Amino acid sequence: EAGVVQSPRYKIIEKKQPVAFWCNPISGHNTLYWYLQNLGQGPELLIRYENEEAVDDSQLPKDRFSAERLKGVDSTLKIQPAELGDSAVYLCASSLDSLTGELFFGEGSRLTVL
Amino acid sequence: GESVGLHLPTLSVQEGDNSIINCAYSNSASDYFIWYKQESGKGPQFIIDIRSNMDKRQGQRVTVLLNKTVKHLSLQIAATQPGDSAVYFCAEINQGGSEKLVFGKGTKLTVNP
């Protein structure tokens, strides 16, 4: 069975440009997460979806970040405009439900903002 | 606030030895704890979990110990192998509260042949 798929794996953009990341979770997983991971740090939650509903977006910088999970399957995370400090790895994860701590992570999308 | 930290940023062991990775958490309301392994260039991978009504849980070559009195969590890896080299994160959830999975900063384990 395929795991969580993310694209692109790497993205280099100049500041003020937009960028979008895509995530395809494991089939049947209702809960989807976007995490941000800075170098040497643990992942930090940006947003959590239960099906198509965003149930926790308290850490998402809504002035420049947006996310959607149409039809409760794939999800996209967008940054517009990107800032230098947004350089990080953006991890998508999915789980059967929100009661489990067993999240399945994708390999991440590494963003470099110049 | 909710936070999870690690005592040591790096740990180096010889192949075949046992490894112990420690974690201190600060949120006494946390009731569910998980260990993740992250290899270079990959996303974190679930290793083992433990709920607050337990103090020990064993998996394949791994054991997690929970001491709620001092808010301490440890991961023991038996007969450490080169493939165990990775960064290990503990994480906590307050399932009766925010339900948010909070990761610590990680410990980098290096296994020397």
Side-chain angles (χ1 to χ4, degrees):
Chain A
E1 181 181 347
V4 176
V5 179
Q6 291 188 245
S7 69
R9 285 295 314 277
Y10 305 93
K11 188 73 176 179
I12 301 174
I13 60 172
E14 294 189 346
K15 62 181 180 181
K16 301 185 181 180
Q17 294 300 304
V19 64
F21 304 112
W22 174 80
C23 173
N24 178 236
I26 292 175
S27 178
H29 281 193
N30 295 324
T31 309
L32 183 146
Y33 313 75
W34 283 102
Y35 280 86
L36 176 153
Q37 186 173 29
N38 288 305
L39 187 64
Q41 303 292 315
E44 301 170 38
L45 180 68
L46 290 172
I47 189 167
R48 171 166 62 100
Y49 282 93
E50 293 292 342
N51 298 304
E52 65 274 8
E53 181 183 359
V55 297
D56 185 354
D57 63 355
S58 57
Q59 300 303 311
L60 190 72
K62 298 180 184 62
D63 57 336
R64 297 184 300 106
F65 286 64
S66 64
E68 61 182 12
R69 191 185 183 195
L70 299 177
K71 302 180 181 179
V73 181
D74 293 1
S75 178
T76 57
L77 176 70
K78 298 179 181 178
I79 309 174
Q80 182 173 11
E83 296 179 352
L84 295 176
D86 296 332
S87 295
V89 175
Y90 291 84
L91 293 163
C92 179
S94 69
S95 63
L96 281 172
D97 54 51
S98 61
L99 298 178
T100 178
E102 186 173 5
L103 276 59
F104 293 81
F105 283 84
E107 294 191 316
S109 295
R110 180 178 294 277
L111 173 66
T112 301
V113 182
L114 302 177
Chain B
E2 296 179 347
S3 66
V4 178
L6 274 296
H7 287 308
L8 291 172
T10 62
L11 176 65
S12 184
V13 301
Q14 290 297 123
E15 181 178 358
D17 287 353
N18 296 333
S19 303
I20 300 176
I21 301 172
N22 294 304
C23 175
Y25 63 95
S26 60
N27 186 358
S28 57
S30 293
D31 51 12
Y32 183 26
F33 305 88
I34 308 99
W35 281 100
Y36 278 86
K37 171 187 180 182
Q38 187 173 26
E39 297 177 53
S40 181
K42 296 186 177 181
Q45 179 183 13
F46 173 92
I47 301 173
I48 192 169
D49 59 1
I50 188 169
R51 297 191 182 272
S52 59
N53 61 351
M54 302 173 68
D55 53 21
K56 180 179 181 179
R57 190 167 187 215
Q58 289 185 292
Q60 186 177 10
R61 283 201 306 118
V62 295
T63 301
V64 56
L65 299 177
L66 175 63
N67 185 332
K68 295 182 290 294
T69 302
V70 295
K71 290 186 285 189
H72 184 267
L73 191 68
S74 69
L75 177 70
Q76 301 178 2
I77 305 174
T80 314
Q81 302 169 0
D84 295 326
S85 294
V87 177
Y88 290 80
F89 294 97
C90 65
E92 63 174 334
I93 303 177
N94 174 8
Q95 293 197 312
S98 68
E99 297 184 342
K100 182 182 299 184
L101 182 64
V102 177
F103 284 84
K105 293 184 179 180
T107 294
K108 183 176 182 180
L109 174 66
T110 301
V111 182
N112 301 309

